[in-house]
Amino acid sequence: MILPIVGYGDPVLRKLGEEISPDYPNLKETISNMFETMYNACGVGLAAPQVGLPIRLFVIDTTPFSDDEDMSKDKQMQLNGFKRTFINAKMIKEEGDEWVFNEGCLSIPDVREDVYRNEKITIEFSDENFNIKTEIFDGLIARVIQHEYDHIEGILFTDKISSLKKQLIKKKLQNIMDGKSRPDYKMKFCNKKGR
């Protein structure tokens, strides 16, 4: 089932996500719905707060990035079919040089900005079967994970840009809160009347 994506300004996007246990209600269905919602919105990642759930859960599928012809075949293969569920994730380490990439967010439609992030991460998480893993990721996969991890920490990519850039996008952010943004997927806006 496709869920409405929560828009910028909703308090749930600023909450620290709560850990969940294997008996969390309808967990398998929630994960399935999140993937379906993400694909419907042409995203590569989606965190539970973005569908109104203040829990430590996010899903990613980097396959769309594998179409980039400027990328090496090895990198394309690494990204193609990389589909994961992260539950109760804890960032262990972020290292390596910071590099810039133009990021967007399904909760902040029509806003894209350059964001600096470390190139390599070590993260501990449970998969959808609650098997605990500690893995190292780099490049675009690490970036997508960092972006979604920020969501379960109550952080948005717009928090990582300069105050000047924040001023420049202020009107766009207000339009999102007021429901004046028109993405081609279902959204829930925080200030829209009769939502």
Side-chain angles (χ1 to χ4, degrees):
M1 176 172 67
I2 295 168
L3 306 169
I5 293 174
V6 171
Y8 179 88
D10 192 301
V12 74
L13 295 175
R14 293 303 188 175
K15 287 186 177 169
L16 183 65
E18 294 175 20
E19 289 201 358
I20 59 172
S21 61
D23 60 357
Y24 184 83
N26 307 314
L27 181 58
K28 293 262 189 248
E29 183 184 352
T30 298
I31 293 168
S32 174
N33 290 344
M34 284 176 63
F35 272 112
E36 189 176 352
T37 301
M38 178 184 77
Y39 293 138
N40 178 68
C42 299
V44 293
L46 187 69
Q50 294 181 274
V51 291
L53 301 171
I55 58 174
R56 298 186 76 79
L57 165 65
F58 61 88
V59 298
I60 69 168
D61 186 343
T62 60
T63 301
F65 283 140
S66 68
D67 295 337
D68 186 344
E69 293 171 5
D70 295 334
M71 202 176 287
S72 71
K73 288 284 182 217
D74 285 349
K75 289 286 184 197
Q76 287 177 337
M77 286 173 56
Q78 187 183 22
L79 293 165
N80 191 23
F82 186 87
K83 178 180 175 180
R84 294 281 183 93
T85 299
F86 292 77
I87 299 171
N88 299 335
K90 289 186 184 75
M91 193 67 71
I92 305 298
K93 199 182 331 181
E94 294 176 276
E95 58 190 329
D97 293 333
E98 286 196 343
W99 61 291
V100 69
F101 188 81
N102 193 255
E103 292 189 21
C105 179
L106 297 177
S107 291
I108 313 175
D110 305 321
V111 175
R112 297 194 65 83
E113 291 295 336
D114 287 346
V115 176
Y116 285 88
R117 295 190 189 270
N118 294 91
E119 65 185 343
K120 186 175 174 185
I121 62 168
T122 304
I123 191 166
E124 180 184 287
F125 64 98
S126 295
D127 65 15
E128 61 277 6
N129 299 310
F130 276 81
N131 298 311
I132 298 174
K133 302 169 182 250
T134 301
E135 293 193 47
I136 297 170
F137 300 102
D138 62 10
L140 275 174
I141 291 173
R143 177 168 292 271
V144 174
I145 292 169
Q146 287 167 308
H147 179 108
E148 299 310 325
Y149 182 84
D150 279 352
H151 274 299
I152 64 171
E153 293 286 310
I155 299 167
L156 300 174
F157 85 93
T158 51
D159 298 338
K160 297 181 176 285
I161 62 174
S162 71
S163 49
L164 173 63
K165 288 196 173 176
K166 284 179 189 164
Q167 278 300 113
L168 294 172
I169 63 169
K170 196 174 178 181
K171 180 71 172 151
K172 283 184 177 182
L173 296 178
Q174 188 62 51
N175 284 342
I176 294 167
M177 290 194 294
D178 294 342
K180 294 177 182 170
S181 185
R182 294 281 173 255
D184 55 1
Y185 49 87
K186 192 161 57 166
M187 278 196 81
K188 180 179 152 195
F189 302 101
C190 73
N191 293 344
K192 190 172 180 183
K193 305 285 185 257
R195 62 181 184 126

